[in-house]
Amino acid sequence: MYTCKDSINLLLDYLDGELSPEDAQHLKEHLQGCAPCVDFLRTYRATPGLCKKALAHRMPQEMSSKLTEFLRSKIKSAS
C-alpha cells in the first residue's frame, strides 16, 4: 500500500497514463481510502484550468504600474 507521499509523487504519471498497471492499482487503492489525497488530486487536476483563467485577464495598467514601483522599491531596499 502506498503512503500519501508516494501517491503524490506518482500523480503526474498517473494522470498522463504512464504508471505500470500494478502501480496504478496501488495508487487507486490508496485514493479510495484517503480523502486528503483525493482532495489534492482534485486540486491538482483543476490547476491548469485555473491558471488559464487567471492569464486570460489583464491587470489594469494603474495596478501594474503601482506593483512594479513597489517591487522595485523592495529590491532596492534589499540591496
Side-chain angles (χ1 to χ4, degrees), residues 54-68:
L55 293 173
H57 297 284
R58 195 165 182 100
M59 184 183 300
Q61 183 59 41
E62 182 181 350
M63 183 183 291
S64 176
S65 296
K66 287 182 179 182
L67 178 59
T68 300

Side-chain angles (χ1 to χ4, degrees), residues 33-60:
C34 187
C37 283
V38 171
D39 289 342
F40 184 85
L41 177 59
R42 190 175 296 119
T43 303
Y44 195 84
R45 283 181 170 155
T47 300
L50 294 172
C51 289
K52 286 179 185 177
K53 285 181 183 178
L55 293 173
H57 297 284
R58 195 165 182 100
M59 184 183 300

